[in-house]
Amino acid sequence: MQWEQLLSLKRQGDTSKRLRKEQDDTRLGFEVDYDRIIFSAAFRSLQDKTQVIPLSKTDFVHNRLTHSLEVSVVGRSLGRLVGKQIISNYPHLLEVYGYQANDFGAIVAAAALSHDIGNPPFGHSGEKAIGEYFKTGNGLQYKDQLTEKQWQDLIDFEGNANGFSVLAASREGIEGGLRISYATLGAFMKYPKESLPKKPTQKICDKKYGFFQSDKAFFVEVANELGLISNKSGNDIGFERHPLAYLVEAADDICYTIIDFEDGINLGLISEEYALEYLIKLVKNGIDTKKYNELLTKEDRISYLRALAIGSLINDAVAVFMENEKAILAGEFPFALMDKSQYKAQMNDIIQISIKNVYQSKEVIHKEVMGYKVINSLLDGFCTATNKKENGTASNYDALLLKLLPERFQFQRENLYDRLLHICHFVSLLTDGKAVELFKTIQANKS
């Protein structure tokens, strides 16, 4: 892969080439990506979507929106630090094409900002709930009417693939979705493959999938424009990662490791002593003991350690990336950056404490149980109603139910797969609160 191709400013529908040296630096194309994402309805909905602790009323706890903003900030730092070294190593990128170090930061920041934009309500249990509706619930009735890959899209519903749809899928009157640059879409695509074959290798890029069958043609167009390396054969579609996708993933790994841990401490689910024991291993070379001892509150002490820990992990991720940059460009780096971090053991220790004390807390379990019930009910009601409408057997209740759909979701799809995915997309973009509200409305009508 070549950096000058990987940094493509092209957008869906472009009829002429966008050149970096002709860009207005006060309104750079990669920064436009960031603006379009942050002003989108899908991004705004993240403010009422669970990160870990559900429906929390405290000031401490992160939701998907605050998490995404923080990942974006870390991603920008990673991109700029890497970009500075890339420009130094490949001076023609600046001299011939006009690319600058901060371009890398802008691309990674925009991709990181959107990394959770396709995630359903109720955290990762929301993805599982959608999949299980089709795998073991009433949605199983549709299996024989779909292709193998279409069915896999539904039973393994994936927030990353859904996010690609949010950013790139056309809908009536809106061609190309948000019309994000191909470079940013490439950095967003952590798993550039379709849902089957499932986990065909141990490579990190094959861990999950990154696009639905409905988005396959455009996905392939983006991958080819960027010069991504194909790694599948026959009728199967898959590519090696865009190099900057490693930085987006690292930013997410750093933030959820450290910040979920911080949330657990601030909520009293993890004792402050653990923060000292585990975070100190990440910051021992940078801590100012005098300053730390002058901090009077737990929140200030934890905040100080968190900032230092994130700084340590950023510098380490950049070092790992640059040490392996040639292998990454060749499609021969099958790991996440933080898997090769000198701090991997310390990160794993922190994650294990978070799993035990935060992710498996009763509050989180209650959220997941609620999520399964709510999402199953919504999918069943809307999938049944939309298919009855298509078949001409809709009842008055079905017609009323479909009127609850927002205007942009009321367009009927002729193809069964498209109809089912359309409803999954609608449910996935609901906030936690709106999903619960709709669930209560439907349940009230049933009783």
Side-chain angles (χ1 to χ4, degrees):
M1 292 180 277
Q2 303 295 322
W3 280 114
E4 53 266 38
Q5 193 171 358
L6 292 164
L7 300 174
S8 172
L9 280 152
K10 183 177 180 180
R11 300 179 188 277
Q12 188 171 359
D14 279 355
T15 55
S16 59
K17 199 167 185 66
R18 294 174 187 256
L19 303 177
R20 173 61 181 90
K21 59 186 177 182
E22 296 177 356
Q23 288 275 301
D24 178 357
D25 281 335
T26 65
R27 184 75 170 142
L28 182 63
F30 303 131
E31 293 169 346
V32 172
D33 293 343
Y34 191 96
D35 298 348
R36 290 181 176 181
I37 292 162
I38 209 163
F39 281 106
S40 68
F43 183 77
R44 287 197 304 275
S45 74
L46 297 178
Q47 68 184 305
D48 185 26
K49 281 190 176 181
T50 298
Q51 171 61 14
V52 176
I53 306 298
L55 306 172
S56 177
K57 303 304 180 187
T58 76
D59 293 330
F60 301 126
V61 176
H62 294 78
N63 53 38
R64 288 278 176 190
L65 187 142
T66 50
H67 168 72
S68 296
L69 289 169
E70 289 168 345
V71 173
S72 179
V73 169
V74 172
R76 183 181 62 210
S77 295
L78 287 166
R80 285 180 174 180
L81 290 167
V82 163
K84 185 176 180 180
Q85 296 188 51
I86 295 294
I87 294 295
S88 176
N89 292 346
Y90 303 92
H92 73 282
L93 291 174
L94 172 61
E95 296 163 0
V96 176
Y97 296 99
Y99 288 107
Q100 310 217 7
N102 283 3
D103 295 350
F104 292 78
I107 294 168
V108 178
L113 184 72
S114 60
H115 82 282
D116 273 349
I117 204 167
N119 281 27
F122 307 107
H124 287 296
S125 63
E127 287 176 309
K128 295 176 184 176
I130 293 175
E132 290 192 13
Y133 169 73
F134 294 100
K135 199 170 189 177
T136 60
N138 288 342
L140 186 59
Q141 63 183 296
Y142 305 115
K143 180 179 181 180
D144 294 339
Q145 303 172 64
L146 302 174
T147 69
E148 192 176 8
K149 289 179 179 178
Q150 288 174 340
W151 182 244
Q152 195 67 36
D153 284 357
L154 296 175
I155 64 173
D156 260 351
F157 186 84
E158 174 56 51
N160 289 284
N162 197 47
F164 184 78
S165 276
V166 170
L167 296 177
S170 298
R171 58 184 175 87
E172 290 77 1
I174 306 293
E175 297 302 316
L178 298 183
R179 293 196 72 235
I180 301 300
S181 73
Y182 285 15
T184 296
L185 289 175
F188 172 85
M189 299 179 332
K190 290 199 296 184
Y191 309 109
K193 67 176 288 291
E194 55 192 340
S195 55
L196 288 176
K198 187 174 180 179
K199 295 183 181 179
T201 72
Q202 294 300 308
K203 290 181 176 181
I204 190 66
C205 63
D206 284 337
K207 181 181 176 182
K208 299 180 182 179
Y209 72 95
F211 63 90
F212 297 128
Q213 290 300 298
S214 57
D215 298 316
K216 178 162 63 175
F218 181 59
F219 190 98
V220 172
E221 178 186 323
V222 173
N224 288 336
E225 166 70 17
L226 295 170
L228 303 188
I229 299 169
S230 175
N231 60 13
K232 302 291 182 292
S233 59
N235 294 323
D236 298 326
I237 303 296
F239 297 87
E240 299 297 336
R241 278 180 168 178
H242 189 294
L244 298 184
Y246 287 93
L247 299 182
V248 174
E249 179 180 58
D252 189 25
D253 289 347
I254 290 168
C255 284
Y256 81 70
T257 299
I258 302 302
I259 294 173
D260 289 356
F261 188 61
E262 180 185 19
D263 278 351
I265 294 165
N266 284 329
L267 285 169
L269 299 172
I270 299 172
S271 71
E272 185 178 356
E273 287 70 27
Y274 278 123
L276 291 174
E277 181 181 350
Y278 288 93
L279 291 180
I280 208 75
K281 297 174 184 177
L282 299 175
V283 305
K284 58 185 178 184
N285 295 327
I287 191 169
D288 182 335
T289 305
K290 181 177 182 294
K291 180 177 180 180
Y292 179 79
N293 289 332
E294 289 173 350
L295 299 173
L296 301 180
T297 69
K298 176 174 72 173
E299 289 75 31
D300 287 342
R301 290 190 293 273
I302 300 306
S303 177
Y304 177 68
L305 292 177
R306 178 253 298 150
L308 289 179
I310 288 176
S312 294
L313 294 174
I314 285 173
N315 290 331
D316 191 55
V318 170
V320 174
F321 185 94
M322 293 310 304
E323 286 166 10
N324 295 281
E325 185 244 352
K326 292 288 192 295
I328 289 170
L329 286 175
E332 296 173 355
F333 188 75
F335 315 101
L337 293 180
M338 305 318 293
D339 285 343
K340 295 299 177 181
S341 169
Q342 63 176 307
Y343 300 114
K344 181 184 178 183
Q346 290 88 341
M347 290 179 71
N348 285 342
D349 287 343
I350 290 171
I351 290 170
Q352 290 308 310
I353 291 292
S354 295
I355 289 173
K356 179 181 177 182
N357 293 56
V358 181
Y359 304 157
Q360 295 177 356
S361 67
K362 283 188 177 181
E363 194 176 9
V364 172
I365 299 300
H366 288 167
K367 175 255 318 194
E368 294 186 347
V369 170
M370 177 188 291
Y372 272 91
K373 183 72 173 176
V374 169
I375 287 177
N376 183 77
S377 176
L378 297 181
L379 286 175
D380 201 37
F382 287 106
C383 284
T384 299
T386 196
N387 283 309
K388 281 186 175 181
K389 180 180 179 181
E390 179 66 24
N391 298 332
T393 60
S395 65
N396 287 333
Y397 172 77
D398 294 323
L400 284 171
L401 194 62
L402 291 176
K403 287 182 180 179
L404 293 175
L405 291 172
E407 187 177 4
R408 72 187 184 94
F409 285 98
Q410 290 188 10
F411 296 98
Q412 192 71 2
R413 302 294 198 271
E414 293 182 6
N415 177 282
L416 174 63
Y417 167 75
D418 289 338
R419 287 197 300 276
L420 296 175
L421 196 60
H422 186 59
I423 296 302
C424 290
H425 190 61
F426 159 66
V427 171
S428 73
L429 293 180
L430 294 171
T431 65
D432 291 14
K434 185 62 178 179
V436 171
E437 179 188 322
L438 267 178
F439 169 74
K440 289 178 178 177
T441 298
I442 292 173
Q443 292 302 109
N445 286 333
K446 284 183 177 179
S447 58

